[in-house]
Amino acid sequence: MKKTLTRYLAFVAFMVALSTASYAQFSLGLQGGIAKSDVEDSKTVAGGGVNLRVFTSPKFALGVAGKIYADGSDYTIAGQTLSSTGTLMPVTGTLDYFFAEGVIRPYIGGDAGVYFSKYDAKFNGNTIVESSKHSNFGAAPRAGLVFAFGNLGIQVEGIYHFVFGNKNLRSTTGNVDNIDFESTSQFGGVNVGIIFGLGGK
């Protein structure tokens, strides 16, 4: 799994290097947001993350992103506390296309990469169930607006994640040949963030 992810990130870095010969604007984005699964009666969970981009032109950016979504519940039974927690962490490559270079910049984009997840349960602070880490391939189309103030941007976007199953039913994807595109978990969300270092003038 680590070799596959390393190759993927190396490929993104290579493409960035090829396309930035004449123009390069590096940026850092910080985001927070909420997400909700398409499963009936699912809870809304909070998350956040970071996005490193290279604007290869004023309207086009390539990058890598890491996010984490966390959920948890506490139950009290006869004075005893049972806690459950779950985390989902997408590590992805990103593409963004901006339709304008002014103060208001609408854009579309997409993420693709590996979604890592883990769940555990504790009874009175002691771990009683701890799942192994899982990994699945996932992708997420995005669309939003950036409000530009010089080299600083305020970002608002909608995102919809597709997390695919593994063909061999194992907990880890392993390689791209093991993706079951017919089995998906889906969740949508809204992100708000700040971008330091915008492409364009």
Side-chain angles (χ1 to χ4, degrees):
M1 186 64 241
K2 290 182 180 178
K3 288 183 180 179
T4 301
L5 183 59
T6 301
R7 289 175 185 165
Y8 180 76
L9 294 177
F11 174 75
V12 171
F14 177 71
M15 294 304 293
V16 169
L18 285 180
S19 58
T20 56
S22 61
Y23 182 97
Q25 172 73 49
F26 293 91
S27 76
L28 169 67
L30 303 175
Q31 287 186 335
I34 57 172
K36 186 176 176 64
S37 168
D38 65 346
V39 176
E40 188 176 354
D41 296 328
S42 63
K43 293 171 59 177
T44 300
V45 298
V50 61
N51 191 179
L52 300 173
R53 293 184 182 89
V54 176
F55 280 84
T56 59
S57 74
K59 292 186 177 181
F60 186 71
L62 296 169
V64 292
K67 296 183 177 72
I68 186 166
Y69 296 93
D71 184 22
S73 298
D74 292 330
Y75 306 92
T76 301
I77 305 169
Q80 309 298 311
T81 302
L82 176 66
S83 303
S84 65
T85 58
T87 58
L88 179 67
M89 186 174 69
V91 179
T92 60
T94 66
L95 296 172
D96 291 281
Y97 179 78
F98 294 81
F99 294 98
E101 299 177 43
V103 175
I104 300 176
R105 303 184 186 185
Y107 69 93
I108 56 173
D111 299 2
V114 181
Y115 285 59
F116 299 95
S117 60
K118 185 177 181 181
Y119 304 90
D120 62 46
K122 294 183 178 180
F123 187 71
N124 288 335
N126 298 312
T127 301
I128 56 174
V129 176
E130 185 173 15
S131 75
S132 60
K133 292 181 180 178
H134 292 71
S135 66
N136 298 80
F137 179 77
R142 297 179 283 105
L145 293 172
V146 170
F147 301 92
F149 305 94
N151 216 24
L152 178 71
I154 305 298
Q155 175 186 33
V156 180
E157 71 176 12
I159 185 169
Y160 201 84
H161 300 266
F162 296 87
V163 184
F164 302 99
N166 297 327
K167 284 182 180 179
N168 63 9
L169 303 180
R170 292 184 183 168
S171 61
T172 58
T173 298
N175 59 63
V176 293
D177 295 330
N178 190 31
I179 301 168
D180 181 4
F181 289 102
E182 295 181 1
S183 172
T184 64
S185 299
Q186 302 170 27
F187 63 102
V190 176
N191 296 323
V192 177
I194 299 174
I195 301 175
F196 302 94
L198 285 173
K201 298 178 180 179

